[in-house]
Amino acid sequence: MDILEKNKAVVRQFNSEVIEQCNWETFNAIMDKDFINRTAPPTSNGAEGMWNTFNNILRPAFPGLKVEIYDQIAENDKVTTRKAIIGTHNGVLMGIEPTGKRIKIDVIDIVRLKDGKYVEHWGINTLQSVIMELKKG
């Protein structure tokens, strides 16, 4: 397997084992000690901030969430993934009581990897739109 396919496999592993299963060991194994999330606020742009988003915000609000990967493109040391995070709003999300609604957060991520580890991340997603819909009840 060439490096591009290996990098894509690491990103798929992150999506299944970290986002879906909140596997702490996999998260620690994949994250570089100098990881930086270029999309997050400067106060939470390290690995801890990313773990917090999945483990303490998304997972409790959408237990059993799943990730559907639609496309992956790898070039040099970067992997771009177009995906959706899908679940049911069965827990509190940022003060919004559970609605039982099915949600879909569309995401496009770019991850830079080095030696099989996440070094940098950039992303866009529709979480804000989902939050606005859930607030409507």
Side-chain angles (χ1 to χ4, degrees):
M1 184 183 313
D2 73 2
I3 189 66
L4 298 179
E5 289 305 314
K6 286 180 183 176
N7 284 345
K8 287 166 65 174
V10 170
V11 172
R12 286 191 303 273
Q13 179 186 19
F14 183 92
N15 280 275
S16 67
E17 293 182 25
V18 175
I19 297 176
E20 289 185 351
Q21 301 167 24
C22 274
N23 184 312
W24 177 248
E25 290 78 24
T26 300
F27 181 79
N28 279 327
I30 290 177
M31 302 306 286
D32 187 86
K33 65 179 180 57
D34 296 321
F35 171 81
I36 186 161
N37 186 347
R38 301 287 183 191
T39 309
T43 55
S44 62
N45 66 359
E48 320 78 40
M50 185 171 271
W51 177 254
N52 182 61
T53 297
F54 298 130
N55 192 54
N56 299 323
I57 297 172
L58 293 182
R59 195 83 178 140
F62 311 108
L65 63 82
K66 296 291 178 196
V67 177
E68 287 186 18
I69 294 177
Y70 304 122
D71 296 300
Q72 273 192 312
I73 301 167
E75 184 175 304
N76 298 321
D77 58 354
K78 293 184 182 81
V79 176
T80 300
T81 305
R82 185 176 65 90
K83 63 188 179 188
I85 298 172
I86 301 167
T88 302
H89 183 217
N90 288 330
V92 177
L93 174 67
M94 303 171 97
I96 305 168
E97 292 297 320
T99 62
K101 289 184 177 180
R102 294 280 295 161
I103 61 95
K104 178 180 165 194
I105 304 166
D106 293 306
V107 180
I108 297 176
D109 282 324
I110 301 172
V111 178
R112 186 170 73 83
L113 298 105
K114 181 179 177 188
D115 301 325
K117 293 183 180 271
Y118 276 43
V119 178
E120 286 182 283
H121 169 268
W122 298 262
I124 57 172
N125 64 64
T126 59
L127 178 58
Q128 282 304 118
S129 297
V130 169
I131 289 170
M132 297 308 290
E133 284 300 313
L134 293 174
K135 282 184 177 181
K136 292 178 184 177

